[in-house]
């Protein structure tokens, strides 16, 4: 069975470990944190549930040797934005962490798939591709999978349908310039704008709730971690079972509507090799403009931080 290493045993990393444990996705989970004590405490708390969910073993530490033999390495380590700090300050700090961390992962494991969760995830994905030298198929970010889950939840709530039966994507930056792809949204094979009760205003309201979801949760409880943990578990499961399941992932673009040398989210099929295929959705004019806008925002940040 498989091994998954999670770097960063904070809210997101430890909750992802719990989701992977409950879903029995792998046989070993390694928790790595700059604070060995934190990683140890989380591993102890998790392994004491083995009576109820047998089959997963835990290891922990602050050394990247823990990444050895891992099929997948999930990076959730990083700093959160402090009061008075700009987004760019945060990018620079998390980029510096990655610059030190990624070569150490590679030193112990040259064949793993690396999944980025740390924000801003699109920039972190771009930098990890650069620092690892890995093929682009093996390094990607969770991207707008969480935003898409939120949108499908709100659409399902509005239409009184299961989110699993509402097909719609958020593409672009995992952040303010993301956009919904209404031209490809469907319910039971029917275009969403042909659904009884649908209106552009209803769609916009669901999208605004999606866009503000992280702020709303952070205002109330300080962090978001349950839904992103399920995103991580589902992505890992899809890789290990070689399903070809599709997620909107932050991936390195090459000639996608003429965009390249940037990471942002487009629908991608996943398999054992990582990203098996990027799906080129037939975007309408305004969606294409939104894609270029998102790429422009991200390229601007990359230009600011890459020397
Ligand atoms: P957290 O502060 O609870 O956890 C971060 C952990 O990283 C801490 O335990 C810290 O000790 C560790 N760490 C810091 N520097 C490290 C290093 N150099 N090596 C190893 N470990 C190190 O934060 P969190 O709430 O778990 O969030 C983690 C990241 O995930 C943030 O960047 C957050 O914005 C991001 N996030 C992303 C999404 C998404 O959809 N992509 C969703 C939620 C959160």
């Amino acid at each position: 069975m498989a091994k998954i290493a999670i770097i960063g045993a904070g809210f997101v990393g430890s909750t992802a470990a719990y989701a992977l444990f409950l879903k029995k996705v792998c046989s070993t989970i390694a928790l790595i944190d700059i604070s060995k004590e934190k990683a140890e405490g989380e591993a102890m708390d998790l392994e004491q549930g083995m009576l109820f969910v047998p089959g997963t073993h835990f290891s922990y530490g602050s050394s990247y040797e823990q990444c050895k033999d891992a099929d997948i390495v999930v990076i959730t380590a990083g700093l959160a934005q402090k009061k008075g700090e700009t987004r760019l300050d945060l990018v620079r700090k998390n980029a510096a962490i990655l610059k030190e961390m990624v070569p150490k992962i590679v030193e112990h494991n040259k064949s793993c798939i690396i999944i980025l969760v740390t924000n801003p995830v699109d920039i972190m994905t771009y930098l990890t591709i650069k620092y690892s030298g890995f093929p682009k198929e093996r390094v990607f970010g969770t991207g707008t999978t969480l935003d898409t889950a939120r949108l499908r939840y709100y659409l399902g709530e509005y239409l009184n349908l299961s989110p699993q039966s509402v097909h719609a994507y958020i593409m672009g930056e995992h952040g303010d310039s993301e956009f919904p792809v209404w031209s490809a949204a469907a319910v039971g094979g029917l275009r969403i704008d042909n659904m009884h009760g649908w209106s552009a205003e209803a769609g916009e309201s669901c999208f605004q709730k999606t866009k503000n979801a992280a702020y709303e949760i952070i205002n109330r409880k300080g962090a978001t971690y349950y839904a992103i943990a399920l995103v991580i578990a589902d992505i890992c499961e899809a890789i290990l079972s070689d399903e070809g399941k599709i997620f909107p992932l932050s991936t390195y673009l090459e000639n996608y509507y003429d965009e390249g040398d940037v990471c942002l989210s487009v629908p991608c099929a996943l398999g054992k090799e990582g990203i098996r295929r990027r799906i080129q959705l037939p975007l309408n004019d305004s969606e294409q403009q939104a894609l270029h806008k998102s790429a422009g925002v991200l390229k601007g940040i990359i230009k600011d931080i890459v020397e």
Side-chain angles (χ1 to χ4, degrees), residues 229-283:
L230 288 170
V231 165
I232 295 167
D234 211 39
I235 288 174
C236 290
E237 196 171 32
I239 293 169
L240 297 172
S241 60
D242 203 22
E243 283 176 83
K245 194 168 173 179
I246 294 175
F247 299 84
L249 299 171
S250 184
T251 183
Y252 185 88
L253 295 190
E254 282 162 307
N255 202 15
Y256 193 98
Y257 284 99
D258 292 331
E259 285 297 347
D261 197 30
V262 67
C263 290
L264 53 71
S265 288
V266 307
C268 298
L270 280 179
K272 267 196 154 45
E273 68 277 38
I275 291 183
R276 178 174 297 170
R277 187 181 300 172
R278 294 168 186 80
I279 311 293
Q280 178 132 3
L281 287 180
L283 302 179

Side-chain angles (χ1 to χ4, degrees), residues 11-67:
F11 285 119
V12 174
S14 58
T15 314
Y18 188 53
L20 289 162
F21 177 40
L22 292 184
K23 284 170 77 91
K24 300 188 178 204
V25 175
C26 54
S27 56
T28 307
I29 297 175
L31 286 174
I32 302 152
D33 201 284
I34 198 164
S35 160
K36 190 177 172 191
E37 222 178 2
K38 170 81 173 138
E40 182 176 17
E42 295 295 353
M44 285 168 70
D45 198 4
L46 286 159
E47 68 196 0
Q48 289 166 14
M50 273 173 72
L51 171 65
F52 310 102
V53 193
T56 310
H57 294 269
F58 295 89
S59 66
Y60 64 85
S62 52
S63 155
Y64 292 90
E65 209 178 332
Q66 292 284 335
C67 293

Side-chain angles (χ1 to χ4, degrees), residues 6 8-20 38 42 74 76 80 117 119 142 146 150 174 213-234:
I6 300 176
F11 285 119
V12 174
S14 58
T15 314
Y18 188 53
L20 289 162
K38 170 81 173 138
E42 295 295 353
V74 182
T76 74
V117 186
N119 275 323
T142 52
L146 177 59
R150 287 170 173 156
H174 170 61
Y215 301 110
E216 294 291 342
I217 297 169
I218 289 168
N219 277 343
R220 287 166 173 79
K221 58 175 264 190
T224 71
Y225 40 91
Y226 293 123
I228 185 63
L230 288 170
V231 165
I232 295 167
D234 211 39

Side-chain angles (χ1 to χ4, degrees), residues 76-204:
T76 74
L79 302 170
Q81 203 158 350
K82 292 205 184 87
K83 261 195 176 157
E85 192 176 55
T86 68
R87 200 159 161 245
L88 207 57
D89 291 335
L90 178 73
V91 182
R92 287 206 176 95
K93 283 187 186 166
N94 281 345
I97 291 176
L98 274 189
K99 195 170 188 176
E100 212 190 306
M101 177 193 295
V102 174
K104 290 184 191 158
I105 300 171
V106 176
E107 188 188 323
H108 294 288
N109 191 329
K110 292 185 173 48
S111 58
C112 61
I113 288 172
I114 303 181
I115 303 174
L116 275 302
V117 186
T118 303
N119 275 323
V121 70
D122 302 292
I123 305 296
M124 298 298 127
T125 304
Y126 182 90
L127 294 176
T128 302
I129 290 171
K130 185 172 136 95
Y131 299 148
S132 66
F134 277 13
K136 296 169 181 80
E137 289 63 36
R138 280 205 278 126
V139 183
F140 53 85
T142 52
T144 55
T145 303
L146 177 59
D147 317 70
T148 295
R150 287 170 173 156
L151 180 70
R152 289 172 66 169
Y153 167 74
Y154 287 122
L155 290 172
E157 187 184 53
Y158 175 73
L159 295 167
N160 197 19
L161 294 169
S162 159
Q164 294 191 339
S165 297
V166 179
H167 299 281
Y169 288 108
I170 298 278
M171 283 178 56
E173 178 195 10
H174 170 61
D176 293 342
S177 71
E178 66 187 24
F179 60 97
V181 187
W182 295 127
S183 65
V187 175
L190 183 70
R191 272 183 61 131
I192 203 160
D193 45 13
N194 289 331
M195 273 293 285
H196 181 69
W198 178 255
S199 66
E201 293 71 31
E204 183 56 24

